[in-house]
Amino acid sequence: MTIYDIAEKAGVSASTVSRVVNNKPGIKPETRRKIEALLEQYDYTPNETARGLVKRSSKMIGILIADIRYAHYMDIAFYVEQELSRSGYTCLILNTGITEEGKVNAIRRLAQRQIDGLMLVGSTFQCEAVEQALAQNFPDIPIAMANGYLPLPNVKGVLVDEYNGVMECIKLMQKKNHHKIAFIIPNTTPSNLQKQAGFLQAVREGKAPECADWVYLAPTSLEEGYRVTRQILSEHPDVEGLMFCEDEAAVSGIRALTDAGIQVPEQVQVIGIDNTRYCEICNPKLTALDNMMLEMSMETSRILMESLNGGTSPSKIMLFSRIIERETT
Amino acid sequence: MTIYDIAEKAGVSASTVSRVVNNKPGIKPETRRKIEALLEQYDYTPNETARGLVKRSSKMIGILIADIRYAHYMDIAFYVEQELSRSGYTCLILNTGITEEGKVNAIRRLAQRQIDGLMLVGSTFQCEAVEQALAQNFPDIPIAMANGYLPLPNVKGVLVDEYNGVMECIKLMQKKNHHKIAFIIPNTTPSNLQKQAGFLQAVREGKAPECADWVYLAPTSLEEGYRVTRQILSEHPDVEGLMFCEDEAAVSGIRALTDAGIQVPEQVQVIGIDNTRYCEICNPKLTALDNMMLEMSMETSRILMESLNGGTSPSKIMLFSRIIERETT
DNA sequence: TCTCGTTTTGCAATCGATTGCTAACCTGAT
DNA sequence: ATCAGGTTAGCAATCGATTGCAAAACGAGA
């Protein structure tokens, strides 16, 4: 059912039908009613492809996520999709992987599709290569970044103050007289480097500044969390606290500790970051730094919507994280 | 950069450029090289919207999921997106919610977008309303269902034999002399009703047929899992096994049991379904029925791809689940 | 009844590609 | 030099909408 079919049945031209469909003025009420009846009767829905061609907009939003399986990102994807679809947008979700190549490729693929807006989820997008690719392929459309920022005129970013967040976590452990703390980072995204800086600052100001060297790398996974915890235990049997940059490794870190007969939190405290559902599932329940993913989702989709509607908002929004104390501290 | 811009710079017509872009024959090698150089130089990428209009295909696949946050579905979404994007397809992922209205709406929204194929994830799509909406809006394009099936000529489905899977689970507990078993179902999707049938069958054949009445409803969530477990304990203090239809509730069921001072698995065994990562995180680790989500994802995207390429495959594929024994049985 | 000003409507171009058909161009053979 | 035959390239229509501009229809006042 095209606009022409309807036009023919109504005995008018396609332009008239188009105007009715789009609720434009200047149509005789009677004609409008007649066409509306036909539209209803034949269950007409406009072809968004054709419409997109002339309007140079597609009512589609691209969402780039390194890996949607990471529980944390998934919530953002879900929320954003809900929010945007309410305004008639459809979401193109692409998993880019973590390589720069993957990310740039995804951007190029989206460039073919007249998207109206773009959302980047995760700080891994905060890099030179992505910045260039965006400047080249999307100089005009609104772009919103969740947990990241790039200095381009059309980019807005929502960030969490993880530096201070992690610092507070370390201080929490120190307050309970645990000073020998190891820091476990899954990778060196800008966001994680911020966290590390917070850790270093707190530890240097504390009573066991030698811990500044206790930085370990363990990719996000249960296996790695277990492995790195055992490694830390063997290298520093006197460790009193583990600060993980995400929950998944933290959760199996707890398991590694209890398996080794170590009391949590009496002997070793554990804190994760993200405050995912894993925290409530493990035993003892994991204390975690909540980095405000829900708020971030809301803010990010809000500023994206705002930009899409031509509104203005600050190009950088900072949220503050908070510690959710459970049973591991 | 459009095909016309390139044509002008090359001093040829747009048709010629189009033929080069699409690698069609009948172009003088010299001309082809010249145009290819220009294409490269100006970083031309075809406008998929325009292309979609004339080709009546968009290289887009719709993916309908009730709620992507459910860990289980997320893996499917991830895998399918990966697989399809490799063949140049872009995925439109919509969260439909669980209401029929939401599902039908999502279908109508996709109908505006010339999608080339459709994937439905989850057995909730196996219902009258969806069947009708599909028949009306997508009578032609290939449709693949993960964990579901509808008797339409263009629909293929991949299913898991959950009936026998659950039956085996119950038998596993019975073998260890636990006969008084409660069954917890999050909702009454076709898939869950299958599971329930398996439970009833096993229990009626067993030594405590009165358990056929021990069927409880608890939506997927940690809170509900905890709540329903306490309820079961109070109504049937002699319970010896809990069979959950998914892992999330199961995991907090374990917690409720240990909180109540009950030994798992010595006094009460627990089994979940889905075999998500939660199983490895809780303590003790959860025994679960693996319903082959990865295989299902692979099969579903495989049959969708096959249909897209005009190939044929059986319209119904059955997979067999298997039990992953851990520490709760 | 005629004119003028407003409403309504339609024509035709446009968005960026694809493609059947035709026209122009070569090449070599006569 | 001419012509048949195959190559190569361009014209123009098409996909399904939108929209500026002009034309038609209408209504009211003279």
Side-chain angles (χ1 to χ4, degrees):
Chain A
M1 231 350 102
T2 78
I3 216 172
Y4 294 98
D5 300 327
I6 300 288
E8 195 182 328
K9 290 187 203 300
V12 299
S13 76
S15 344
T16 306
V17 177
S18 170
R19 289 195 251 266
V20 170
V21 170
N22 293 287
N23 258 311
K24 297 250 169 115
I27 301 291
K28 200 198 295 181
E30 191 193 320
T31 315
R32 184 181 295 272
R33 268 195 301 280
K34 187 168 70 180
I35 295 177
E36 271 167 352
L38 257 358
L39 255 25
E40 175 77 19
Q41 181 185 343
Y42 290 99
D43 193 32
Y44 168 84
T45 42
N47 179 323
E48 284 295 342
T49 308
R51 190 180 257 182
L53 189 56
V54 33
K55 289 274 206 73
R56 334 189 104 260
S57 118
S58 57
K59 281 280 178 184
M60 295 197 298
I61 302 291
I63 299 185
L64 261 34
I65 300 191
D67 184 342
I68 200 183
R69 283 175 305 178
Y70 189 33
H72 193 109
Y73 290 160
M74 180 184 62
D75 282 335
I76 298 194
F78 175 80
Y79 191 86
V80 170
E81 198 274 323
Q82 277 231 318
E83 203 54 27
L84 292 173
S85 79
R86 196 167 303 157
S87 310
Y89 289 97
T90 306
C91 292
L92 296 174
I93 299 183
L94 304 196
N95 293 292
T96 64
I98 51 164
T99 65
E100 293 207 336
E101 194 198 341
K103 292 182 250 177
V104 171
N105 265 344
I107 292 174
R108 304 200 70 227
R109 278 178 47 208
L110 279 181
Q112 309 183 352
R113 296 200 179 269
Q114 315 262 77
I115 52 170
D116 295 349
L118 181 59
M119 180 152 198
L120 310 180
V121 181
S123 74
T124 65
F125 291 97
Q126 192 172 313
C127 70
E128 193 81 28
V130 170
E131 183 175 345
Q132 270 201 12
L134 289 180
Q136 201 176 86
N137 291 284
F138 297 115
D140 300 316
I141 67 166
I143 300 176
M145 296 182 70
N147 205 15
Y149 180 72
L150 284 172
L152 292 171
N154 53 331
V155 169
K156 315 224 162 209
V158 180
L159 298 158
V160 189
D161 183 6
E162 307 191 275
Y163 176 84
N164 281 303
V166 170
M167 224 159 77
E168 290 304 316
C169 288
I170 305 299
K171 284 186 181 158
L172 175 70
M173 296 201 251
Q174 290 171 338
K175 208 180 303 169
K176 298 190 178 170
N177 246 321
H178 288 222
H179 297 278
K180 298 179 179 165
I181 298 167
F183 184 75
I184 301 94
I185 195 171
N187 52 49
T188 54
T189 56
S191 156
N192 284 329
L193 292 178
Q194 274 295 305
K195 294 173 193 154
Q196 183 168 349
F199 165 75
L200 293 178
Q201 180 67 20
V203 124
R204 284 193 183 126
E205 286 174 359
K207 291 196 183 142
E210 72 271 22
C211 295
D213 291 332
W214 295 12
V215 174
Y216 288 79
L217 192 76
T220 301
S221 84
L222 295 177
E223 294 71 24
E224 281 293 310
Y226 199 92
R227 183 199 59 72
V228 80
T229 303
R230 293 192 62 84
Q231 183 187 346
I232 293 170
L233 284 175
S234 76
E235 293 182 14
H236 304 288
D238 54 338
V239 66
E240 296 169 328
L242 299 178
M243 175 81 228
F244 285 88
C245 280
E246 31 86 29
D247 294 333
E248 196 167 331
V251 142
S252 61
I254 297 173
R255 175 65 83 130
L257 290 169
T258 54
D259 279 3
I262 293 171
Q263 303 275 326
V264 179
E266 293 76 8
Q267 291 175 265
V268 176
Q269 302 193 342
V270 181
I271 300 184
I273 299 187
D274 288 354
N275 196 34
T276 54
R277 269 181 279 190
Y278 295 150
C279 301
E280 296 276 342
I281 289 171
C282 63
N283 191 356
K285 294 182 181 170
L286 179 65
T287 290
L289 183 67
D290 182 352
N291 50 15
M292 305 281 138
M293 271 303 127
L294 185 59
E295 285 74 9
M296 181 175 288
S297 312
M298 290 172 53
E299 275 305 302
T300 317
S301 52
R302 193 180 61 71
I303 61 176
L304 185 56
M305 284 296 302
E306 217 162 79
S307 304
L308 286 169
N309 296 329
T312 64
S313 46
S315 65
K316 215 169 181 175
I317 292 178
M318 183 67 84
L319 300 177
F320 296 95
S321 49
R322 65 169 178 223
I323 300 174
I324 308 294
E325 277 202 72
R326 293 201 182 81
E327 302 167 357
T328 58
T329 51
Chain B
M1 230 352 100
T2 76
I3 216 172
Y4 293 98
D5 300 327
I6 300 287
E8 196 183 328
K9 290 187 203 299
V12 298
S13 76
S15 343
T16 306
V17 177
S18 170
R19 291 192 178 104
V20 171
V21 169
N22 293 288
N23 258 310
K24 298 251 168 114
I27 301 290
K28 201 197 297 183
E30 190 193 320
T31 315
R32 185 182 294 272
R33 268 195 302 280
K34 187 167 71 178
I35 294 177
E36 271 167 352
L38 256 359
L39 255 25
E40 175 77 19
Q41 179 185 342
Y42 291 98
D43 192 32
Y44 169 85
T45 42
N47 179 322
E48 284 294 342
T49 308
R51 190 180 255 183
L53 189 56
V54 33
K55 289 275 205 72
R56 334 188 107 262
S57 117
S58 58
K59 281 282 178 182
M60 295 196 299
I61 301 292
I63 300 185
L64 261 34
I65 301 191
D67 184 340
I68 200 182
R69 285 175 304 178
Y70 189 32
H72 194 111
Y73 289 161
M74 180 183 62
D75 283 334
I76 298 194
F78 175 80
Y79 191 85
V80 170
E81 199 275 322
Q82 277 231 318
E83 202 55 26
L84 291 173
S85 79
R86 196 166 304 158
S87 310
Y89 288 97
T90 306
C91 293
L92 295 175
I93 299 183
L94 304 196
N95 293 292
T96 64
I98 50 163
T99 65
E100 293 206 337
E101 195 197 339
K103 291 182 251 178
V104 172
N105 265 343
I107 291 173
R108 303 201 70 227
R109 278 178 47 207
L110 280 181
Q112 308 184 352
R113 298 203 178 266
Q114 315 263 80
I115 52 170
D116 295 349
L118 181 59
M119 179 155 203
L120 310 180
V121 181
S123 75
T124 65
F125 291 98
Q126 192 172 313
C127 70
E128 193 81 29
V130 170
E131 183 174 345
Q132 270 201 11
L134 289 179
Q136 200 175 88
N137 292 284
F138 297 115
D140 301 315
I141 67 166
I143 300 176
M145 296 181 71
N147 205 14
Y149 180 72
L150 284 171
L152 291 170
N154 52 330
V155 168
K156 315 223 163 208
V158 180
L159 299 158
V160 189
D161 183 6
E162 307 190 275
Y163 176 84
N164 281 304
V166 170
M167 224 159 78
E168 290 305 316
C169 288
I170 305 299
K171 284 186 183 159
L172 175 70
M173 298 201 250
Q174 291 170 338
K175 209 181 303 169
K176 298 191 178 168
N177 245 321
H178 288 222
H179 297 278
K180 299 179 179 164
I181 298 168
F183 183 74
I184 302 94
I185 195 170
N187 52 48
T188 54
T189 56
S191 157
N192 284 328
L193 292 178
Q194 274 295 306
K195 294 173 193 154
Q196 183 169 350
F199 165 76
L200 293 177
Q201 179 67 21
V203 125
R204 284 191 184 126
E205 286 175 359
K207 290 194 184 143
E210 71 272 22
C211 294
D213 292 331
W214 296 12
V215 173
Y216 288 80
L217 192 76
T220 301
S221 84
L222 295 177
E223 294 71 24
E224 281 293 310
Y226 199 92
R227 184 199 59 72
V228 80
T229 303
R230 294 192 61 85
Q231 183 187 345
I232 293 170
L233 284 176
S234 76
E235 293 182 12
H236 304 288
D238 54 337
V239 66
E240 295 169 331
L242 299 178
M243 176 80 227
F244 286 87
C245 281
E246 31 86 29
D247 293 333
E248 196 167 329
V251 141
S252 60
I254 297 173
R255 175 65 85 130
L257 291 169
T258 54
D259 280 2
I262 293 172
Q263 304 275 326
V264 178
E266 292 76 9
Q267 293 175 262
V268 176
Q269 301 194 345
V270 181
I271 300 184
I273 300 187
D274 288 354
N275 196 34
T276 54
R277 268 183 278 190
Y278 295 150
C279 301
E280 296 277 342
I281 288 171
C282 63
N283 191 356
K285 294 183 182 170
L286 178 65
T287 291
L289 182 67
D290 183 353
N291 50 14
M292 304 281 139
M293 271 303 127
L294 186 60
E295 285 73 10
M296 181 176 287
S297 312
M298 291 171 54
E299 275 305 302
T300 317
S301 53
R302 193 179 62 69
I303 61 175
L304 185 56
M305 285 294 303
E306 217 162 80
S307 304
L308 286 169
N309 295 330
T312 65
S313 47
S315 65
K316 215 170 181 175
I317 292 177
M318 183 68 84
L319 301 177
F320 296 96
S321 48
R322 65 170 177 223
I323 301 174
I324 308 294
E325 276 202 74
R326 294 201 182 82
E327 302 167 355
T328 57
T329 52

